[in-house]
Amino acid sequence: MAELDITETVHYKHSAFETIGSPAVNDEIVLTPKPVYDFFKRIFDFVSALAASIVLLIPMAIICIVIMIKDPGNPFFLHKRLGKDFKEIDVFKFRCMKEGAENIEKTLTPKQQAEYKKEYKLSDDPRLIGYEKPGDGETCFGAKMRRTSIDEIPQILFNILIKGNMSVVGPRPILRSELEENYTPEEQKLLLSVKPGLTGYWQAYARNTVGYVTGKRQEMELYYIRNRSFLFDMKIILKTVTAVLFGRGAI
């Protein structure tokens, strides 16, 4: 099968990666061992997460207080996801949704449920903290947390530093249903052969423009795993920082 140009695949301008190459859709599903890369990546994850946790400790405490004032309850939310080698992990987040939001049958209309089940997100989510009327999904407190990626900060302390079940860069943590609906069995093995990441190729470069329906998101996630390297990781981190600073919220 002919290869797809990644710059055409994602319909997104990212010149830093134009020379990386093209992912073959049906390439043999093989993970190339990279023991040196894996060893130093864990060291980088630990050191960077430790430094970030120290700097962010006070801001995290303030965010917890604000969340509890706006919507009383636990300021943290634990998402059940699949990690490396199909092990179930708890992904820590600041709670940007109202209490009980995980029960979509009670909190979403049938139309909203159908939209959510396609890409696991909504264009105007009524479950967000501060949502009061249609359209608030872009401007309410919960939406701002999500757009700026503030809700992902606890993963630095709990998942990367303490538990070590996530990395700074990797494929996005995934639901079991999400995995089974969008990846073949062989692709599932490849996707879960590495730790999920706080940010990644798809998150940093095409999160808001590429989804599962077209198959492009899957291509980007698997492409990263096949081509992971220190240089690739550094470019993704740089792009993530730029995106967050300029308000696109990459992670």
Side-chain angles (χ1 to χ4, degrees):
M1 180 175 290
E3 293 186 345
L4 300 180
D5 188 313
I6 194 66
T7 57
E8 295 178 357
T9 294
V10 300
H11 302 291
Y12 192 87
K13 184 179 180 181
H14 47 89
S15 58
F17 287 86
E18 287 177 354
T19 60
I20 285 179
S22 304
V25 177
N26 288 328
D27 274 352
E28 185 180 359
I29 308 296
V30 176
L31 178 72
T32 304
K34 298 184 178 182
V36 175
Y37 164 79
D38 291 338
F39 175 76
F40 283 104
K41 182 170 184 174
R42 179 52 191 156
I43 293 176
F44 173 81
D45 286 342
F46 182 84
V47 173
S48 59
L50 177 60
S53 296
I54 293 171
V55 172
L56 294 171
L57 194 58
I58 293 178
M60 286 178 66
I62 294 173
I63 294 169
C64 286
I65 294 171
V66 174
I67 292 172
M68 289 187 289
I69 290 174
K70 288 187 172 292
D71 191 74
N74 190 338
F76 297 105
F77 183 77
L78 274 63
H79 284 257
K80 293 290 184 182
R81 294 289 188 271
L82 292 179
K84 187 175 184 288
D85 299 326
F86 291 82
K87 293 179 181 178
E88 189 173 75
I89 64 174
D90 289 318
V91 175
F92 287 74
K93 286 189 173 187
F94 282 128
R95 183 169 58 87
C96 61
M97 293 188 177
K98 302 168 185 176
E99 286 283 1
E102 65 273 16
N103 190 338
I104 64 171
E105 285 75 17
K106 290 185 178 181
T107 56
L108 300 178
T109 66
K111 182 178 180 180
Q112 290 169 334
Q113 290 180 40
E115 180 186 349
Y116 176 80
K117 290 176 180 178
K118 284 183 180 179
E119 297 292 348
Y120 294 88
K121 61 182 180 180
L122 292 172
S123 56
D124 187 41
D125 199 329
R127 300 171 298 165
L128 292 167
I129 294 175
Y131 187 103
E132 296 180 356
K133 62 184 185 300
D136 282 353
E138 290 292 326
T139 58
C140 65
F141 176 73
K144 291 177 180 177
M145 286 183 64
R146 179 180 287 176
R147 186 169 59 251
T148 57
S149 300
I150 287 175
D151 62 323
E152 309 278 0
I153 290 176
Q155 292 164 38
I156 298 172
L157 173 61
F158 296 108
N159 291 106
I160 300 176
L161 181 62
I162 296 176
K163 291 181 172 291
N165 54 19
M166 284 183 62
S167 182
V168 174
V169 180
R172 191 164 181 81
I174 195 168
L175 289 165
R176 184 178 294 277
S177 59
E178 192 179 357
L179 178 75
E180 294 173 349
E181 290 170 8
N182 296 290
Y183 293 89
T184 68
E186 287 302 309
E187 288 172 340
Q188 292 175 25
K189 293 177 184 177
L190 180 61
L191 185 72
L192 298 180
S193 62
V194 300
K195 292 179 183 179
L198 175 69
T199 187
Y201 186 30
W202 169 75
Q203 295 98 307
Y205 278 85
R207 179 176 179 179
N208 296 321
T209 58
V210 167
Y212 282 130
V213 175
T214 61
K216 310 306 182 186
R217 174 174 172 177
Q218 298 93 310
E219 289 178 13
M220 292 189 75
E221 295 282 39
L222 297 175
Y223 178 76
Y224 166 76
I225 296 170
R226 292 190 181 102
N227 296 275
R228 66 200 189 283
S229 68
F230 292 116
L231 179 59
F232 202 168
D233 287 352
M234 291 304 105
K235 288 181 177 179
I236 289 170
I237 291 170
L238 179 60
K239 181 63 177 179
T240 299
V241 171
T242 303
V244 170
L245 289 177
F246 286 95
R248 283 202 308 103
I251 63 177

